[in-house]
Amino acid sequence: MCSGLARSVLRPLASKRRRLGTSCHSPGAAMASSPAGSAMARGVGRLSANTSAVFVCDVQERFRELIFGMPAVIDTASRVVRSAKVLGMPVMVTEQYPQRLGSTVSELQSHVSDCGAPIVPKTKFSMFTSEVEQAMKTSAFENRKQILLCGIETHVCIFQTAVDLLERGYEVHVVVDGVSSQRATDRAVALNRLSQIGAHLCTSEMAVFQIVGDAKGEGFKAISAI
């Protein structure tokens, strides 16, 4: 959820295909190195199609011109959702106060419909509302304890969603090229904090190709074409 919508809009990235990274070249934006012991304590993050689900947080029309690098967020979220369909992974989508902030962006709508993903309206910043919690108990999400998380804003809804999921025993993988905020500094600090509290940071291709695992594996050709 974006706060302070009246603030000046940061210029989006020049190209829709340009990926967002973990550093935005702002003071204090450098990622802190995690001790090896911490990584081992939380597991190495080996993703599997049979145990993973995708969460897409609040990628809505009202934010199109407000979010730093929004074209990259939309493009990445679209590719992750399409990949999830190929790999048989369920998708959960939320919209923050859609009456005021609009629906999910048009570029995502058809892909969300194709994979039969529920779209849950909310006012809570975290995606983990009571409706989402109930949906996670259905057969579609059974045994899905690894969550690929993308959307906006990194320092508000993404961060609070990750905290809720981690506290409930889920393994969270934040797709860094698919998350952003209005301000680059907020995004960078949030990614740093997410790493500190136990979330795994990955790119969309890193996650998807880890799941595929083999060039002869099921879905490789279809995934490569996305």
Side-chain angles (χ1 to χ4, degrees):
M1 168 57 190
C2 289
S3 56
L5 294 181
R7 291 197 297 264
S8 297
V9 177
L10 289 168
R11 186 173 61 183
L13 296 179
S15 169
K16 177 181 176 182
R17 294 292 297 180
R18 184 175 175 182
R19 304 287 180 84
L20 291 165
T22 59
S23 174
C24 295
H25 307 291
S26 301
M31 291 297 300
S33 297
S34 298
S38 296
M40 293 302 293
R42 67 184 177 184
V44 297
R46 183 180 294 277
L47 289 162
S48 166
N50 295 325
T51 56
S52 298
V54 172
F55 273 30
V56 180
C57 184
D58 307 347
V59 185
Q60 293 164 252
E61 290 291 348
R62 181 68 179 87
F63 304 136
R64 188 182 289 274
E65 303 301 326
L66 298 174
I67 299 297
F68 175 79
M70 187 65 164
V73 172
I74 294 171
D75 181 55
T76 298
S78 297
R79 287 185 289 107
V80 170
V81 169
R82 291 163 66 192
S83 298
K85 182 182 179 183
V86 172
L87 295 168
M89 294 157 48
V91 177
M92 178 71 66
V93 180
T94 59
E95 294 176 343
Q96 181 73 19
Y97 198 16
Q99 300 93 321
R100 291 286 300 275
L101 301 176
S103 58
T104 300
V105 295
S106 56
E107 296 93 322
L108 261 176
Q109 287 278 5
S110 61
H111 303 309
V112 169
S113 297
D114 285 347
C115 65
I119 300 179
V120 180
K122 66 183 180 70
T123 57
K124 183 179 179 179
F125 295 140
S126 171
M127 288 183 71
F128 210 81
T129 64
S130 58
E131 293 86 352
V132 169
E133 187 171 12
Q134 288 303 310
M136 294 298 286
K137 296 175 182 178
T138 64
S139 58
F141 289 89
E142 187 176 3
N143 298 321
R144 305 286 175 164
K145 298 297 287 185
Q146 296 177 303
I147 306 298
L148 289 172
L149 179 58
C150 58
I152 57 176
E153 282 188 281
T154 319
H155 66 298
V156 184
C157 296
I158 294 296
F159 177 74
Q160 293 185 34
T161 300
V163 169
D164 281 346
L165 289 168
L166 289 166
E167 286 184 337
R168 288 163 174 80
Y170 289 90
E171 184 179 280
V172 178
H173 295 253
V174 178
V175 182
V176 297
D177 50 332
V179 298
S180 197
S181 301
Q182 287 193 64
R183 295 180 294 192
T185 300
D186 283 331
R187 177 180 180 274
V189 172
L191 289 174
N192 191 20
R193 180 78 186 282
L194 284 160
S195 182
Q196 290 174 344
I197 66 174
H200 295 278
L201 303 187
C202 63
T203 67
S204 53
E205 285 196 358
M206 181 190 299
V208 169
F209 283 108
Q210 183 186 26
I211 292 169
V212 173
D214 192 317
K216 294 182 179 179
E218 185 176 353
F220 173 74
K221 289 184 178 179
I223 293 293
S224 297
I226 292 176

